[in-house]
Amino acid sequence: MRMTAPPNTPGRLDDAALIEQSRHRPESFATLYDRHFGDIYRYVAARVGPQAADDLASETFLVAFRKRHSFDPHRGAVRHWLYGIATNLLADHRRSETRRLEALARVPMDNPAEGEHADRVAAQVTAAGAQRRLATELSRLPDGERDVLLLVAYGDLSYEEIAQALDIPSGTVASRLNRVRRRLRAALGDITAEPGGSDE
């Protein structure tokens, strides 16, 4: 005989209902942690490295738990709210993130082994140069533009989801991404442009 959980069991509730339930049954919040910790951890680890990611991801859920009474489901999904909290906590760790990007920009290019085909050598040198320039440019981006870019890249969020996470208009998300694209295109254009190609 198959047993089914009652409809108010935490595992059966959607995120917003779990937040509501956790206001009088705090243990329900653990289900949200189980559902979303992996995504938040990966986003944070991509930005500041695995050493700080455990603490920051855990702190994200601690802050969310403390603020669960102020969560408004009409302003967006719980997942986006968590990304917003994580991004705000990352603001305190910007220097660490900047140091990681600057360190990546300083990584020396490997010397190719003798006998490698010339095209392969050229591709390796080009890729390494582009990676270093990209890391340098990312470290120089204004905070708001970097947050939007990395929520797209590491959080895989849509414009609307990013707007909810950062509490900004979706048009602002689009304009920030356009500025980032122009800046990165200008910085990397001479490396990434193919011979005879055009930058669209």
Side-chain angles (χ1 to χ4, degrees):
M1 178 177 174
R2 185 175 177 182
M3 296 182 65
T4 57
N8 64 345
T9 297
R12 301 274 308 263
L13 298 176
D14 67 22
D15 289 348
L18 275 171
I19 289 278
E20 179 62 33
Q21 186 181 84
S22 74
R23 291 172 179 167
H24 39 273
R25 288 179 56 193
E27 66 276 8
S28 300
F29 196 86
T31 302
L32 286 173
Y33 180 93
D34 292 339
R35 286 180 185 175
H36 299 294
F37 182 83
D39 287 340
I40 297 299
Y41 174 86
R42 284 187 288 275
Y43 168 61
V44 173
R47 296 192 61 166
V48 295
Q51 295 83 1
D54 273 328
D55 289 343
L56 277 172
S58 296
E59 190 177 352
T60 297
F61 286 88
L62 181 60
V63 170
F65 180 77
R66 289 174 179 160
K67 293 186 172 183
R68 68 192 189 281
H69 295 284
S70 64
F71 172 74
D72 181 0
H74 298 102
R75 298 186 63 184
V78 171
R79 180 172 177 262
H80 315 146
W81 179 61
L82 292 170
Y83 273 109
I85 292 170
T87 300
N88 287 336
L89 290 173
L90 282 162
D92 296 332
H93 293 265
R94 295 259 190 244
R95 283 175 290 200
S96 174
E97 180 180 51
T98 299
R99 283 195 297 270
R100 276 174 53 80
L101 293 169
E102 289 173 347
L104 179 60
R106 292 193 300 271
V107 171
M109 290 181 280
D110 294 331
N111 292 323
E114 282 187 52
E116 281 189 308
H117 191 271
D119 288 344
R120 185 173 176 194
V121 172
Q124 288 178 340
V125 170
T126 299
Q131 182 182 31
R132 290 170 62 179
R133 281 205 186 175
L134 178 60
T136 298
E137 289 305 313
L138 287 176
S139 71
R140 293 175 178 167
L141 288 175
D143 293 347
E145 292 179 12
R146 189 189 309 169
D147 287 340
V148 167
L149 176 66
L150 297 181
L151 279 167
V152 169
Y154 298 144
D156 197 25
L157 302 184
S158 69
Y159 286 17
E160 188 59 39
E161 291 169 342
I162 292 168
Q164 292 170 3
L166 300 180
D167 197 21
I168 58 177
S170 56
T172 301
V173 174
S175 63
R176 287 182 184 178
L177 278 176
N178 285 334
R179 284 196 298 271
V180 169
R181 287 189 185 111
R182 285 196 301 270
R183 183 169 179 163
L184 295 181
R185 199 175 284 140
L188 302 178
D190 58 327
I191 282 183
T192 58
E194 294 180 3
S198 61
D199 181 26
E200 296 181 358

